[in-house]
């Protein structure tokens, strides 16, 4: 029976899970039947055969709900955003090539000196960021609980080190940036103290999710390939930054290149996140490793790519607005008008999160939904299962962000320190670009735990009785938080 399932999977392409509503939508309707998915049919007599072992029977029951879909038949979702990104990357590539040609055509001592002051340091930042990304990924894979408990403090330590290096440059721009980084390190330390009570659950969840991800073949291969692509692109991009510095509108050109880098590397990060979510979710549903990392990476670069581009463009902006709204709403003041506006702003961003959130990538990969529909369905699913009370205090994103900040600050210490010793006046500029390079490279590597936890939550809501999720820490955490809410309501006057 397992042989029959595997043969059907290899014949059709990929294995993904579908909810009953989605399966209903895929039923043939006239000419549209060509795009219909093929169910893996397992008869009741096969399932109840006493000769079949219990584990095989369980896998068969789970596989009966798994849909095998041909990649060639699947329509692209959110195609305009994929086309927008392709157009953007072509324009950026053409712009960088133009900058490079103009830069190299009229080489002078000034340009050579400028190249020597920037490119080696940025290349070192790329190398340092790539090594840091692989190191953090390996440490979280081997010691997830220890890393979860230590990264909240290690991050503030590296941030403090970068701040002291910048302040010691004694250049106004570097001192100003160093003061900002120093204040940020204090905020990180305060945040570490604030989340201590939530740390145990977050560490247990991370351990459970990454332990499952380790059972899936090729989980970390995906992130390494994408990390290699990002590093090569950043080398090309860095030369464009160096070339742009000789133009009259250098700040605007460099700012445009930075925005392009943000979107491009955010897309690469979410490609990893979606692919990992899909593979880990299939393991939860089937109860065995039925994934193919190359097919998942292919689908993330084709079928799901438009949705990933859309989410990578909208979610960071919305997240920034959401954090700003929460900050404004917590500030107390006697001005009722201003803070009624802040409360309204907070409510609007809370509504928008329902239609664009990072948890949607699991359903984008599993059910092939468009990004906004996947966001809405995932949000509703979390609300129905009361998982929303858990994800509101989840620290997985914090672990990933703090690890990325640590990688970025390490690049600042290495590349910024090099510049501090050779071209002190450029310390702030090189440090800023180096930080973003290191930050996004580590973010790509840390998309593995992000995707594993995302798949954990979604599969817990869709398949709460799944055998692979019996030991999940989520149910107990939900009970604890709901009990605390009940106690607070009882104590309220």
């Amino acid at each position: 029976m397992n042989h029959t399932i595997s043969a059907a999977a290899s014949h059709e392409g990929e294995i993904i899970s579908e909810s009953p509503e989605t399966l209903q939508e895929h039923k043939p309707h006239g000419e549209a039947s060509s795009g219909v998915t093929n169910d893996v049919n397992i008869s009741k007599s096969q399932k109840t055969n006493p000769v079949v072992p219990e584990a095989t029977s369980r896998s068969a029951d789970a596989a009966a709900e798994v849909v095998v879909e041909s990649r060639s038949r699947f329509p692209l979702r959110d195609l305009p955003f994929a086309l927008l990104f392709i157009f953007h990357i072509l324009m950026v590539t053409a712009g960088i090539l133009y900058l490079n040609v103009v830069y190299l055509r009229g080489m002078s001592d000034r340009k050579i000196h400028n190249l020597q002051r920037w490119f080696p340091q940025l290349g070192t930042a790329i190398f340092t960021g790539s090594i840091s990304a692989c190191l953090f990924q390996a440490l979280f894979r081997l010691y997830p609980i220890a890393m979860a408990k230590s990264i909240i403090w290690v991050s503030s330590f590296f941030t403090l080190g970068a701040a002291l290096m910048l302040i010691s440059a004694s250049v106004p721009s570097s001192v100003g940036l160093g003061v900002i980084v120093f204040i940020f390190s204090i905020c990180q330390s305060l945040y570490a103290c604030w989340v201590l009570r939530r740390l145990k659950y977050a560490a247990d969840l991370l351990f459970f999710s990454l332990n499952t991800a380790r059972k899936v073949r090729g989980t970390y291969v995906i992130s390494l390939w994408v990390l290699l692509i990002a590093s090569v692109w950043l080398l090309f991009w860095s030369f464009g930054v160096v070339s742009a510095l000789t133009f009259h509108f250098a700040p605007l050109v460099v700012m445009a290149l930075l925005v392009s880098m943000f979107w491009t590397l955010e897309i690469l990060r979410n490609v990893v996140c979606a692919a990992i979510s899909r593979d880990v979710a299939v393991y939860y549903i089937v109860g065995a490793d039925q994934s193919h990392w190359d097919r998942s990476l292919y689908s993330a670069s084709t079928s799901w790519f438009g949705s990933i581009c859309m989410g990578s463009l909208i979610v960071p902006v919305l997240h920034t607005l959401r954090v700003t709204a929460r900050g404004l709403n917590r500030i107390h003041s006697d001005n009722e008008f201003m803070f009624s506006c802040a409360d309204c702003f907070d409510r609007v961003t809370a509504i928008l999160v329902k239609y664009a959130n990072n948890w949607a990538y699991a359903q984008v990969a599993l059910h092939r939904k468009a990004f906004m529909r996947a966001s809405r369905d995932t949000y509703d699913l979390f609300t129905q299962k009361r998982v929303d009370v858990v994800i509101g205090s989840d620290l997985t994103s914090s672990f990933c962000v703090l690890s990325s900040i640590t990688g970025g600050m390490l690049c600042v210490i290495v590349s910024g320190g090099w510049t501090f010793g050779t071209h002190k006046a450029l310390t702030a500029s090189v440090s800023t670009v180096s930080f973003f390079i290191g930050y996004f490279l580590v973010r790509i590597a840390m998309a593995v735990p992000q995707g594993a936890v995302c798949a954990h939550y979604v599969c817990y809501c869709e398949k709460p009785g799944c055998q692979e999720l019996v030991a999940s820490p989520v149910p107990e955490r939900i009970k604890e938080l709901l009990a605390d809410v009940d106690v607070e309501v009882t104590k309220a006057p």
Side-chain angles (χ1 to χ4, degrees):
M1 179 172 54
N2 285 342
H3 176 72
T4 304
I5 297 171
S6 301
S10 61
H11 175 72
E12 290 293 336
E14 293 190 23
I15 300 179
I16 60 170
S17 66
E18 288 283 6
S19 61
E21 295 81 6
T22 309
L23 290 176
Q24 187 69 25
E25 294 177 1
H26 286 308
K27 290 184 179 180
H29 293 286
E31 297 180 358
S33 61
S34 60
V36 177
T37 57
N38 301 313
D39 294 339
V40 180
N41 297 316
I42 300 178
S43 63
K44 294 182 179 179
S45 61
Q46 288 176 311
K47 294 182 191 179
T48 57
N49 192 341
V51 179
V52 180
E54 181 181 353
T56 306
S57 178
R58 181 176 58 83
S59 297
D61 292 338
E65 300 177 5
V66 173
V67 176
V68 181
E69 184 171 11
S70 174
R71 288 176 293 180
S72 60
R73 296 180 180 180
F74 182 73
L76 300 177
R77 302 291 187 185
D78 299 312
L79 182 58
F81 287 89
L83 296 177
L84 176 62
F85 174 74
I86 293 172
F87 174 75
H88 144 265
I89 209 70
L90 290 175
M91 293 296 294
V92 171
T93 303
I96 292 177
L97 290 175
Y98 171 76
L99 292 172
N100 293 345
V101 169
V102 173
Y103 188 83
L104 296 174
R105 187 174 56 186
M107 288 298 291
S108 61
D109 292 339
R110 175 175 172 268
K111 289 185 176 180
I112 294 175
H113 187 56
N114 186 67
L115 183 65
Q116 293 174 344
R117 291 185 301 175
W118 276 87
F119 193 73
Q121 286 85 338
L122 295 184
T124 302
I126 295 171
F127 178 77
T128 304
S130 300
I131 296 299
S132 300
C134 296
L135 178 62
F136 275 110
Q137 188 179 86
L139 290 174
F140 269 95
R141 179 184 181 182
L142 297 174
Y143 313 104
I145 295 180
M147 285 299 296
K149 293 180 178 180
S150 62
I151 191 61
I152 59 175
W153 303 107
V154 172
S155 179
S156 60
F157 174 78
F158 275 91
T159 303
L160 177 61
L164 295 177
M165 187 275 296
L166 290 168
I167 293 174
S168 64
S170 301
V171 177
S173 58
S174 298
V175 172
L177 181 62
V179 170
I180 295 174
V181 175
F182 179 76
I183 295 173
F184 183 65
S185 69
I186 296 175
C187 294
Q188 284 182 267
S189 300
L190 294 175
Y191 177 79
C193 298
W194 182 50
V195 300
L196 281 177
R197 293 182 59 188
R198 296 149 54 186
L199 197 57
K200 183 181 182 305
Y201 163 74
D204 292 341
L205 177 65
L206 189 65
F207 173 79
F208 188 96
S209 301
L210 287 180
N211 190 47
T212 304
R214 292 174 63 181
K215 301 175 185 178
V216 181
R217 291 169 297 175
T219 299
Y220 293 91
V221 177
I222 295 174
S223 62
L224 293 178
W225 272 110
V226 176
L227 190 63
L228 177 62
I229 294 171
S231 300
V232 172
W233 169 254
L234 282 173
L235 281 174
F236 176 68
W237 176 89
S238 298
F239 200 77
V241 171
V242 175
S243 302
L245 294 173
T246 59
F247 282 73
H248 295 293
F249 300 101
L252 293 178
V253 177
V254 172
M255 184 63 66
L257 289 173
L258 283 173
V259 172
S260 172
M261 183 191 76
F262 294 165
W263 191 25
T264 302
L265 297 186
E266 183 70 9
I267 287 174
L268 292 179
R269 180 182 76 86
N270 289 325
V271 163
V272 177
C273 183
I276 297 301
S277 295
R278 184 260 178 197
D279 288 348
V280 174
V282 168
Y283 183 88
Y284 282 131
I285 295 169
V286 179
D289 184 11
Q290 297 285 343
S291 63
H292 300 275
W293 68 267
D294 54 337
R295 294 178 182 175
S296 297
L297 186 57
Y298 174 84
S299 296
S301 305
T302 54
S303 303
W304 321 332
F305 192 66
S307 299
I308 291 173
C309 291
M310 181 181 181
S312 302
L313 183 63
I314 296 176
V315 172
V317 176
L318 182 57
H319 182 70
T320 302
L321 294 176
R322 179 68 175 152
V323 171
T324 304
R326 284 181 171 181
L328 292 175
N329 205 33
R330 289 177 180 177
I331 299 176
H332 300 285
S333 175
D334 296 331
N335 192 326
E336 295 183 1
F337 173 75
M338 289 296 296
F339 287 92
S340 62
C341 293
D343 183 65
C344 180
F345 184 36
D346 184 44
R347 292 174 183 271
V348 170
T349 55
I351 294 173
L352 293 177
V353 167
K354 179 179 180 180
Y355 299 95
N357 54 72
N358 281 319
W359 306 105
Y361 294 112
Q363 290 215 9
V364 166
L366 278 171
H367 305 316
R368 314 292 184 145
K369 297 178 181 179
F371 180 76
M372 293 191 70
R373 181 189 168 193
S375 299
R376 185 178 64 252
D377 291 351
T378 305
Y379 187 90
D380 292 340
L381 189 65
F382 285 172
T383 303
Q384 293 170 6
K385 301 295 183 179
R386 301 310 305 269
V387 176
D388 57 323
V389 301
V390 176
I391 63 173
S393 58
D394 183 74
L395 295 178
T396 305
S397 296
S398 299
F399 296 150
C400 297
V401 171
L402 291 173
S403 300
S404 303
I405 291 174
T406 305
M409 291 303 172
L410 184 59
C411 291
V412 171
I413 294 172
V414 174
S415 296
W418 182 359
T419 307
F420 169 70
T422 55
H423 308 285
K424 187 179 293 188
L426 296 176
T427 302
S429 302
V430 173
S431 297
T432 301
V433 179
S434 298
F435 169 78
F436 288 122
I437 289 175
Y439 175 85
F440 280 105
L441 286 176
V442 178
R443 279 291 269 170
I444 291 173
M446 293 303 295
V448 174
Q450 184 80 52
V453 171
C454 182
H456 186 118
Y457 278 127
V458 171
C459 288
Y460 171 79
C461 293
E462 292 188 352
K463 307 286 182 181
C466 178
Q467 184 67 25
E468 300 299 327
L469 291 171
V470 170
S472 171
V474 174
E476 289 298 323
R477 182 61 175 173
I478 293 176
K479 292 179 182 178
E480 291 177 7
L481 293 177
L482 291 179
D484 291 341
V485 171
D486 292 339
V487 170
E488 291 180 3
V489 171
T490 304
K491 290 182 178 179

